[in-house]
Amino acid sequence: MSLNVLIAAGGTGGHVYPAIAIADALKRAHPDTKILFAGTRSHMEWTTVPKAGYAIKSVWISGFHRQFTLKNLLFPLKLVVSLIQSLFIVIKFKPDVVLSCGGYVAGPVGWVGAKWGIPLIVQEQNSFPGVTNRMLGKHAARIYTAFDDAKRYFPKSDVSMVGNPVRSHMKLAARPPSLASFSFDTTRKTVLVMGGSGGAARINEAMTHNIGGLHNDLKMNVIWQCGPQYFPALSTKIDVSTYPNLRLLPYIDDISLAYAAADIVVSRSGAGSIAELTVVGKPMILVPSPHVAGDHQTHNAKSVADRGAAELLTDEEVVRELIPTIQRLLNDELTLSKMSEAAFQMAHPDAADIIATDMIRLFAA
């Protein structure tokens, strides 16, 4: 029995990490499974996927900007080239199934695979699906969603809500060694602040404005993942020597340690981040990005807040309301405990294994 799986995912960690989680689950379930990723050279998948141990082929594609930009003039050429590249990848790799986890690259790869007669699987992370996966859903043999809300955007047949796959090493580490790994004061509460894999300008602005209040007034340990593109400027602007319990980082390689150390997490509401935070049961303050297609991060955040696992702050509110919100939660242990329990109830730690098992059952020959 063998299975060749072509996985198309790119752009952000929200697309790439679930794809890697499914790949890992496929290899655990059936070590002979052959896996190839398709992605773009200009985004994180180009380095993240090889680090995870998988080969990746490049496809030259990007999004079409809603406002006029000179980059849009290249879009028709990129689309044609990406379809040709996708066809060559399909012909050479001979996949038994194509898995779309979203991102621009999934469009041409998934479409070519479906037109070539290869079963197409769609894994949608968000409560409001992206354009690419909505388009591919019409051709899909199976669709897996992370939120019940997403089902109405796809054909009613063959849609299963299984949750969002999370990285295989994702688990709640022990708190004392996690705090020790950051050399933190163990008498302080800890807040983890992150803006997704690339960082978030507005959250960084809120942190720049409020770091003194968090560190000195609320006496908190602070883990601040600001994003690689923002780190050079912030590391110059913020004098970390004056904040001994601040850890300003461009990126966190072992995020499970940061989760274990945190009492509260402030985050964008990308589906991948939410999935991981529910698995580890962390109370969340979610700040949806208003700049994503379909405003899907707001949909995600509302789904979590409605279930009692998160507080929601808008981009306009976060600078002003960050400290009052954190202070209110820290002073209410009962609410924090209920938020943690609500997060655990939303978790789907076995999502990757469920998807992998189903794919092998359906498509392995």
Side-chain angles (χ1 to χ4, degrees):
M1 185 174 68
S2 62
L3 187 66
N4 286 8
V5 182
L6 176 60
I7 302 178
T12 67
H15 297 306
V16 176
Y17 289 134
I20 292 174
I22 296 171
D24 290 344
L26 285 166
K27 295 294 283 186
R28 286 196 302 272
H30 198 283
D32 290 336
T33 300
K34 295 178 182 178
I35 294 171
L36 177 66
F37 278 75
T40 57
R41 293 179 182 271
S42 58
H43 289 93
M44 65 171 293
E45 64 268 21
W46 199 248
T47 55
T48 303
V49 168
K51 282 183 180 178
Y54 299 104
I56 184 169
K57 295 291 185 182
S58 65
V59 175
W60 191 46
I61 189 65
S62 62
F64 187 85
H65 298 269
R66 288 170 174 79
Q67 295 181 342
F68 177 77
T69 170
L70 292 176
K71 293 180 180 179
N72 281 346
L73 299 178
L74 275 176
F75 182 77
L77 175 61
K78 285 186 175 183
L79 181 59
V80 172
V81 171
S82 70
L83 290 170
I84 295 171
Q85 290 173 322
S86 300
L87 180 59
F88 275 108
I89 291 171
V90 166
I91 291 173
K92 187 172 182 179
F93 184 61
K94 296 180 175 63
D96 298 295
V97 59
V98 175
L99 171 64
S100 164
C101 290
Y104 303 127
V105 69
V109 175
W111 187 84
V112 166
K115 292 301 180 181
W116 203 251
I118 299 164
L120 173 65
I121 301 293
V122 168
Q123 192 275 318
E124 175 53 51
Q125 301 92 30
N126 295 293
S127 60
F128 181 78
V131 173
T132 300
N133 272 352
R134 292 205 308 273
M135 176 189 72
L136 293 178
K138 301 172 185 177
H139 309 284
R142 182 82 90 216
I143 299 167
Y144 302 101
T145 69
F147 294 89
D148 277 319
D149 297 344
K151 288 183 177 181
R152 66 178 182 268
Y153 299 101
F154 293 111
K156 292 184 179 180
S157 60
D158 296 319
V159 180
S160 302
M161 202 289 286
V162 299
N164 241 335
V166 297
R167 288 172 274 185
S168 56
H169 70 276
M170 191 53 54
K171 59 185 178 181
L172 188 59
R175 181 176 172 80
S178 298
L179 289 170
S181 71
F182 290 99
S183 301
F184 273 152
D185 182 342
T186 58
T187 65
R188 288 180 170 230
K189 297 288 188 180
T190 302
V191 60
L192 166 63
V193 181
M194 54 187 191
S197 55
R202 189 62 169 174
I203 290 178
N204 288 339
E205 179 186 348
M207 285 299 294
T208 301
H209 183 78
N210 289 295
I211 185 59
L214 291 170
H215 186 279
N216 300 332
D217 299 336
L218 296 187
K219 300 187 183 305
M220 300 193 76
N221 298 317
V222 181
I223 307 170
W224 177 5
Q225 180 204 314
C226 62
Q229 64 176 318
Y230 301 107
F231 181 74
L234 285 170
S235 60
T236 300
K237 185 174 184 179
I238 305 294
D239 184 0
V240 296
S241 66
T242 62
Y243 303 108
N245 289 289
L246 164 66
R247 303 295 175 261
L248 177 64
L249 304 167
Y251 187 76
I252 302 173
D253 290 318
D254 191 348
I255 192 66
S256 61
L257 289 175
Y259 288 154
D263 297 282
I264 296 174
V265 179
V266 180
S267 175
R268 284 300 198 198
S269 49
S273 296
I274 289 174
E276 292 181 351
L277 289 168
T278 59
V279 167
V280 296
K282 288 297 168 178
M284 303 167 234
I285 298 173
L286 297 176
V287 187
S289 170
H291 308 299
V292 295
D295 198 23
H296 68 251
Q297 286 205 5
T298 298
H299 291 272
N300 294 346
K302 285 181 177 177
S303 294
V304 181
D306 287 347
R307 289 165 175 80
E311 295 269 348
L312 195 159
L313 293 178
T314 66
D315 255 26
E316 291 72 27
E317 296 170 331
V318 66
V319 174
R320 180 182 69 254
E321 296 296 331
L322 181 62
I323 285 183
T325 303
I326 290 176
Q327 187 171 28
R328 173 168 51 80
L329 291 175
L330 288 178
N331 291 335
D332 190 346
E333 290 288 345
L334 180 59
T335 294
L336 280 178
S337 178
K338 288 181 177 179
M339 291 174 73
S340 179
E341 182 58 33
F344 276 128
Q345 290 178 359
M346 291 184 65
H348 297 274
D350 299 326
D353 292 308
I354 291 170
I355 293 172
T357 299
D358 199 38
M359 287 176 63
I360 290 172
R361 179 180 62 84
L362 289 170
F363 303 112

